[in-house]
């Protein structure tokens, strides 16, 4: 089959216009069928990730169908969608470390898809908020303006919208690669705002908000020690895991001390006591050690295996 570029030359159109049309059609095809790669071919990896990202939506639909969203279903659905947005956003930030760890460059192509799913869950969270307000838009907006934790969450959603709108190849070309990358570093500020919203909104048990915050700390510390384009040594990763766990435990202790007056030392001791189950600090440490194990296993994979894996993506 002749390419659009070739046909455009026969019709007297500039070759560059044909190339732009081809690129535009390719982008449209990827948007409609996210399991296709940049060349328009089927990508099993993209399909698996796409289906995995739909699991939270399916879970929310099932909870609604089985009426397991609590006495106020809209409130329950709103909270669940917000949790999903935070977790998927963290997954999007983990793509770069995973790519470096596995030495699998094409994993970066998944970041846009994951980020757009984070945006989708955040927008669903916002829509459910207004639905919970009985669609009283002025009242809902006034609550966002007057309540700090709502203001923070709304700004985070706006940031995700800006990143989602400018995530296309067209915007990369318009802005230039350097300016586009600078803009998309805003994702870290958006994550901080989202985590702060999550923390402030939680009334009593802050286990999950502290856990997500600790994982975000790990992601930031990783970027601080990772050379451009390659994964840091296992020793550095161990330092990152320990430091993130310490920050997580200290943050939880400080929060309870300031909010409830509970002795911070007791909270720290609970984080290290297995009888209380795995507290956020230990979960973060376990996750960090898991990444080290993943890196060591990846180093044993021959380069030929990585090449076949890249082609399969």
């Amino acid at each position: 089959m002749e390419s659009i570029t070739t046909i455009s030359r026969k019709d007297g159109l500039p070759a560059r216009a044909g190339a732009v049309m081809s690129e535009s059609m390719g982008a449209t095809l990827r948007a409609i069928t996210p399991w296709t790669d940049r060349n328009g071919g089927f990508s099993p990896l993209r399909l698996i990730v796409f289906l995995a990202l739909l699991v939270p939506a399916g879970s929310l639909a099932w909870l609604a169908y089985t009426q397991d969203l609590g006495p106020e279903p809209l409130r329950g659905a709103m909270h669940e969608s917000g949790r999903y947005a935070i977790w998927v956003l963290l997954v999007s930030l983990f793509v770069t470390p995973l790519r470096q760890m596995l030495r699998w460059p094409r994993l970066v192509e998944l970041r846009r898809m994951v980020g757009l799913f984070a945006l989708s869950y955040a927008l669903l969270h916002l829509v459910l908020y207004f639905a919970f307000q009985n669609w009283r838009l002025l009242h809902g907006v006034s609550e966002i303006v007057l309540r700090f934790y709502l203001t923070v969450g709304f700004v985070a959603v706006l940031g995700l919208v800006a990143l989602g709108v400018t995530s296309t190849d067209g915007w990369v070309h318009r802005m230039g690669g350097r300016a586009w990358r600078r803009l998309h570093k805003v994702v870290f500020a958006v994550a901080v705002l989202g985590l702060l919203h999550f923390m402030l909104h939680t009334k009593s048990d802050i286990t999950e908000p502290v856990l997500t915050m600790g994982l975000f700390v790990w992601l930031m510390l990783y970027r601080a020690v990772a050379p451009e384009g390659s994964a840091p040594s296992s020793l550095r990763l161990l330092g990152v895991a320990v430091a993130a766990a310490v920050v997580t435990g200290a943050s939880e202790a400080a929060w309870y001390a300031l909010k409830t007056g509970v002795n911070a030392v007791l909270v720290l001791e609970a984080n290290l006591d297995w009888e209380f189950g795995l507290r956020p600090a230990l979960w973060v440490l376990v996750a960090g050690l898991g990444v080290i194990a993943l890196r060591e296993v990846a180093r044993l994979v021959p380069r030929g295996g990585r090449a076949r894996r890249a082609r399969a993506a």
Side-chain angles (χ1 to χ4, degrees):
M1 181 181 292
E2 292 180 298
S3 68
I4 292 179
T5 304
T6 304
I7 295 173
S8 68
R9 292 196 185 102
K10 291 181 179 179
D11 293 339
L13 296 174
R16 184 177 179 184
V20 170
M21 290 171 60
S22 178
E23 181 181 347
S24 176
M25 290 181 65
T28 302
L29 179 63
R30 290 194 299 275
I32 297 173
T33 56
W35 46 84
T36 58
D37 58 24
R38 287 187 172 273
N39 299 320
F42 173 69
S43 170
L45 176 64
R46 291 181 66 88
L47 177 60
I48 291 170
V49 173
F50 177 74
L51 294 176
L53 292 169
L54 283 176
V55 169
S59 174
L60 184 58
W62 178 254
L63 290 174
Y65 175 74
T66 57
Q67 300 181 350
D68 285 333
L69 286 169
E72 296 179 288
L74 276 177
R75 182 191 290 272
M78 178 178 64
H79 291 168
E80 289 298 302
S81 58
R83 290 177 56 247
Y84 299 154
I86 289 292
W87 281 106
V88 175
L89 182 59
L90 290 181
V91 171
S92 74
L93 295 178
F94 185 59
V95 170
T96 294
L98 188 62
R99 171 180 63 83
Q100 294 177 346
M101 219 80 60
L102 300 180
R103 289 173 285 183
W104 195 356
R106 292 193 65 178
L107 276 180
V108 74
E109 297 178 12
L110 299 174
R111 191 167 52 195
R112 179 183 302 176
M113 181 197 297
V114 181
L116 289 175
F117 264 93
L119 169 60
S120 300
Y121 287 121
L123 289 176
L124 176 61
H125 180 61
L126 183 62
V127 169
L128 289 171
Y129 162 77
F130 281 109
F132 183 69
Q133 299 294 332
N134 294 319
W135 302 108
R136 295 177 295 167
L137 298 183
L138 289 178
H139 175 74
V141 170
S142 67
E143 288 287 289
I144 290 174
V145 172
L146 295 174
R147 297 178 181 270
F148 178 68
Y149 78 93
L150 291 178
T151 305
V152 168
F154 184 69
V155 173
V157 174
L158 290 181
L160 280 177
V161 169
L163 295 176
V165 168
T166 58
S167 66
T168 63
D169 292 340
W171 274 100
V172 177
H173 295 319
R174 289 189 196 99
M175 297 179 63
R178 182 176 299 177
W180 185 89
R181 285 191 293 271
R182 280 201 302 268
L183 171 64
H184 278 253
K185 288 186 182 295
V186 171
V187 68
F188 302 117
V190 168
V192 170
L193 292 175
L195 291 167
L196 180 59
H197 170 73
F198 193 14
M199 184 81 73
L200 292 173
H201 183 265
T202 305
K203 304 300 182 185
S204 54
D205 185 4
I206 62 166
T207 300
E208 188 175 2
V210 170
L211 174 59
T212 54
M213 182 276 297
L215 294 174
F216 177 73
V217 169
W218 184 93
L219 289 165
M220 294 300 95
L221 291 176
Y222 175 92
R223 283 167 167 79
V225 303
E228 187 65 28
S230 62
S233 66
S234 293
L235 183 60
R236 285 192 175 189
L237 286 175
L238 178 60
V240 167
V242 172
V246 169
V247 171
T248 304
S251 299
E252 184 182 21
W255 181 271
Y256 278 117
L258 293 173
K259 294 288 288 187
T260 67
V262 174
N263 191 317
V265 175
L266 295 178
V267 179
L268 286 174
E269 289 176 351
N271 269 278
L272 300 174
D273 193 337
W274 292 90
E275 292 183 3
F276 288 91
L278 284 180
R279 298 298 301 162
L282 287 178
W283 275 117
V284 170
L285 180 61
V286 168
L289 295 177
V291 170
I292 296 173
L294 177 65
R295 183 187 188 278
E296 292 302 316
V297 169
R299 292 177 63 185
L300 300 177
V301 177
R303 289 188 176 273
R306 290 197 297 273
R308 288 192 297 272
R309 189 174 55 202
R311 288 193 296 270

